[in-house]
């Protein structure tokens, strides 16, 4: 007690010898993942590592060579994007251990590793007649929210999570704007709305704060049932974001205007979502969005 009075409580530093990679990932899963927006899709990654022998190595003996062997082994089993995502989470776990938890690691063993190159860009767009088939299929669905969400995805280029989290208080129909407080990149944005988007939102708004009630999984299941019912293959819901972005460029809008709608921060990322077609320009869709400083962007002919 006298020593505590003089020096305060002294905690033993976490030991490399007594801590395994698996134990580190369990702590990361329990303490870090719950605070991340991507908690659900990332929660499976620690389970993958815990089923592998790499989780049994102590932090003292884990090296880039061991992780390199794991990378090469996994590349024979899953896609490069999956391995890239798993290594990214493992690298973040080591970074948190060093910076936040005081583990006496001299380096992050994943940081020195070359991650698999990503080749997951897609150019899938709606083919002739597919939009009409989607709308017709929605008419046979038991859920009312499927059709308006699909239309809004094309009209606004919003992500699925952003669409499902639209709140009535964030919609300004007179100003034709929608405020999106929670986004993937962490930067809230206010996006302009087309006439069609305003019409859809106006017809769906009610006394409930959240306009669309389904959870992410419920919507995913409804989307998959719709595609099976109408026989459309190879179309992901996120492809509708590509479709909406490409239509904006085909309508003649500039990069700055499109990025204001989609929320992209640089042209490199925005380009991955753009697959314009000369045959589709100009579009036959009426658009009139509020521009900077109260000005109005010109109406564009479009589909």
């Amino acid at each position: 007690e006298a020593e505590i009075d003089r020096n305060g409580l002294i905690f033993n530093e976490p030991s490399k010898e007594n801590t395994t990679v698996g134990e580190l990932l369990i702590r990361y899963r329990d303490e870090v993942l719950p605070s991340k927006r991507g908690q659900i899709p990332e929660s499976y990654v620690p389970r993958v590592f815990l089923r592998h022998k790499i989780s049994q190595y102590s932090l003292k003996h884990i090296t880039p060579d061991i992780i390199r062997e794991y990378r090469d082994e996994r590349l024979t089993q899953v896609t490069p994007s999956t391995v890239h995502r798993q290594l990214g989470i493992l690298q973040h776990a080591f970074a948190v251990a060093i910076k936040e938890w005081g583990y006496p690691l001299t380096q992050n063993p994943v940081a020195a590793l070359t991650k698999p190159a990503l080749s997951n860009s897609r150019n899938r767009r709606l083919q002739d007649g597919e939009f009409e088939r989607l709308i017709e299929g929605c008419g046979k669905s038991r859920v009312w929210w499927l059709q308006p969400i699909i239309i809004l995805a094309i009209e606004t280029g919003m992500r699925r999570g952003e669409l499902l989290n639209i709140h009535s208080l964030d919609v300004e129909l007179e100003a034709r704007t929608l405020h999106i407080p929670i986004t993937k990149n962490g930067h809230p944005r206010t996006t302009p709305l087309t006439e069609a988007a305003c019409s859809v939102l106006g017809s769906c708004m009610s006394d409930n704060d959240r306009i669309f009630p389904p959870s992410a999984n419920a919507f995913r299941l409804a989307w998959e049932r719709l595609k099976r019912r109408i026989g459309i293959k190879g179309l992901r819901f996120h492809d509708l974001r590509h479709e909406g972005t490409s239509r904006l460029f085909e309508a003649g809008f500039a990069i700055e205007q499109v990025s204001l709608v989609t929320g992209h921060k640089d042209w490199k990322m925005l380009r991955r979502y753009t697959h314009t077609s000369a045959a589709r320009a100009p579009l036959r869709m009426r658009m009139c969005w509020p521009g900077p400083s109260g000005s109005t962007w010109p109406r564009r002919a479009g589909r």
Side-chain angles (χ1 to χ4, degrees):
E1 290 177 351
E3 184 177 352
I4 292 175
D5 289 339
R6 289 192 302 270
N7 302 319
L9 287 174
I10 301 176
F11 295 94
N12 292 327
E13 190 177 46
S15 172
K16 288 182 180 180
E17 291 81 0
N18 298 331
T19 304
T20 65
V21 173
E23 292 170 338
L24 172 63
L25 286 169
I26 290 175
R27 182 176 180 183
Y28 179 83
R29 178 198 64 191
D30 296 340
E31 298 184 18
V32 178
L33 280 184
S35 62
K36 299 182 69 175
R37 292 196 61 243
Q39 173 189 2
I40 295 177
E42 292 184 9
S43 61
Y44 82 95
V45 175
R47 296 199 299 267
V48 173
F49 283 112
L50 290 172
R51 290 195 297 263
H52 194 274
K53 64 180 180 181
I54 194 174
S55 65
Q56 301 172 10
Y57 282 92
S58 68
L59 299 185
K60 176 181 179 181
H61 296 101
I62 194 71
T63 64
D65 288 336
I66 295 174
I67 300 176
R68 186 178 298 109
E69 291 178 4
Y70 170 85
R71 178 201 64 188
D72 296 341
E73 176 188 338
R74 290 292 289 166
L75 283 173
T76 64
Q77 303 168 345
V78 295
T79 62
S81 61
T82 299
V83 179
H84 190 282
R85 183 164 54 251
Q86 292 175 358
L87 291 179
I89 293 176
L90 182 62
Q91 180 175 340
H92 188 234
F94 277 111
V96 172
I98 296 171
K99 296 179 181 179
E100 302 290 337
W101 297 339
Y103 283 80
L105 295 167
T106 57
Q107 65 174 352
N108 190 323
V110 189
L113 201 67
T114 301
K115 298 182 180 63
L118 295 178
S119 58
N120 58 349
S121 60
R122 290 174 59 84
N123 58 4
R124 177 68 158 90
R125 291 191 59 180
L126 291 177
Q127 305 302 315
D128 291 341
E130 284 189 336
F131 177 74
E132 290 75 14
R133 290 165 61 188
L134 286 171
I135 298 304
E136 182 180 355
C138 289
K140 301 177 182 178
S141 174
R142 293 176 295 178
V143 292
W144 64 267
W145 37 259
L146 189 57
Q147 177 174 324
I149 292 178
I150 290 175
I151 295 176
L152 284 174
I154 299 175
E155 291 289 326
T156 65
M158 292 171 62
R159 303 176 180 91
R160 181 189 65 180
E162 295 170 347
L163 291 165
L164 295 179
N165 286 314
I166 295 177
H167 289 70
S168 299
L169 295 178
D170 296 327
V171 180
E172 293 289 344
L173 293 179
E174 292 186 2
R176 292 184 182 178
T177 59
L178 169 64
H179 181 64
I180 308 174
I182 301 177
T183 64
K184 181 180 179 180
N185 58 23
H187 299 285
R189 73 178 189 273
T190 299
T191 184
L193 299 172
T194 65
E195 293 180 2
C198 288
S199 177
V200 169
L201 286 172
S203 64
C204 294
M205 291 178 66
S206 63
D207 294 336
N208 298 325
D209 184 28
R210 189 159 161 260
I211 294 180
F212 301 117
S215 64
N217 189 56
F219 179 81
R220 180 185 64 82
L221 295 174
W223 169 254
E224 294 299 328
R225 287 194 300 267
L226 172 63
K227 290 193 300 179
R228 287 195 301 268
R229 185 163 56 246
I230 62 179
I232 289 182
K233 297 181 179 180
L235 181 67
R236 302 175 184 175
F237 183 78
H238 198 70
D239 293 333
L240 301 184
R241 177 168 165 83
H242 292 247
E243 178 71 25
T245 304
S246 298
R247 288 189 178 193
L248 293 175
F249 280 109
E250 290 169 351
F253 289 104
I255 294 174
E256 295 81 2
Q257 295 171 325
V258 176
S259 63
L260 176 64
V261 178
T262 62
H264 291 101
K265 293 300 181 182
D266 58 75
W267 166 239
K268 181 179 179 180
M269 286 301 299
L270 182 57
R271 184 172 54 190
R272 297 181 67 232
Y273 283 82
T274 305
H275 310 287
T276 57
S277 169
R280 300 193 181 195
L283 295 175
R284 299 182 299 278
M285 180 170 55
R286 292 174 59 84
M287 296 182 179
C288 183
W289 295 342
S293 303
S295 63
T296 301
W297 292 347
R299 293 183 180 272
R300 306 282 178 169
R303 180 168 57 192

